[in-house]
Amino acid sequence: MTTSKILFLCVANSARSQMAEGLARQLLRGRYTVLSAGSAPSRVNPYAIEVMGELGIPIGDQFSKSVEDIDPEGVQTVITLCAEEVCPVFLAQAERIHWPIPDPATTDPLPRDQMLSRFRAARDKIWHKLETWSPGLK
């Protein structure tokens, strides 16, 4: 028997999709397999790890994955989180949902407090979307 899977996608699989994976695992508590991936995976952003830790949700052991490495078997829902960039494509049959969340990471040098603020805002938007969307899954 295959457990139903929820897949979060963004480009680098470093911040938004990683935070969504951690938040959904917390919220859904094992009722679904929760995954994340990206079209150009890099590494989990340290700010994402830090702001998730503020909620007691550890994501430091998660790692960036390519969408091409995700087994489509059992993927029930694909949630894309890209806002200003082109989201990865996942070709398997699944419910598709798009939550345009701006990427909190930036190549522009910003002070630490501003970066944390950006990551907290993205985290909180994802949490709100999950709480609104997930009651039917519980």
Side-chain angles (χ1 to χ4, degrees), residues 8 20 23-24 27 79-81 97-102 121-137:
F8 293 96
L23 290 165
L27 187 64
I79 300 174
T80 52
L81 301 164
I97 300 171
H98 180 64
W99 295 342
I101 309 277
R123 175 200 66 197
D124 294 347
K125 285 179 188 173
I126 294 165
W127 182 253
H128 175 73
K129 293 271 192 189
L130 280 167
E131 286 186 315
T132 303
W133 172 75
S134 68
L137 299 178

Side-chain angles (χ1 to χ4, degrees), residues 106-121:
T106 178
T107 55
D108 298 330
L110 293 176
R112 175 179 163 71
D113 62 329
Q114 286 183 24
M115 288 301 290
L116 287 170
S117 178
R118 292 169 61 106
F119 275 80
R120 287 179 186 123

Side-chain angles (χ1 to χ4, degrees), residues 21-133:
E21 179 181 347
L23 290 165
R25 283 187 178 154
Q26 177 75 18
L27 187 64
L28 299 173
R29 301 211 186 264
R31 290 182 289 276
Y32 292 80
T33 298
V34 181
L35 307 166
S36 68
S39 54
S42 58
R43 64 180 178 84
V44 181
N45 190 296
Y47 288 112
I49 294 169
E50 184 172 346
V51 301
M52 291 298 291
E54 293 172 353
L55 299 181
I57 302 173
I59 65 167
D61 60 343
Q62 293 177 196
F63 59 95
S64 294
K65 299 161 287 301
S66 172
V67 66
E68 295 173 8
D69 295 334
I70 300 296
D71 179 1
E73 182 69 30
V75 175
Q76 173 183 317
T77 305
V78 175
I79 300 174
T80 52
L81 301 164
C82 305
E84 60 281 340
E85 65 278 80
V86 176
C87 278
V89 175
F90 187 73
L91 297 177
Q93 279 196 325
E95 175 187 15
R96 298 188 189 285
I97 300 171
H98 180 64
W99 295 342
I101 309 277
D103 190 353
T106 178
T107 55
D108 298 330
L110 293 176
R112 175 179 163 71
D113 62 329
Q114 286 183 24
M115 288 301 290
L116 287 170
S117 178
R118 292 169 61 106
F119 275 80
R120 287 179 186 123
R123 175 200 66 197
D124 294 347
K125 285 179 188 173
I126 294 165
W127 182 253
H128 175 73
K129 293 271 192 189
L130 280 167
E131 286 186 315
T132 303
W133 172 75

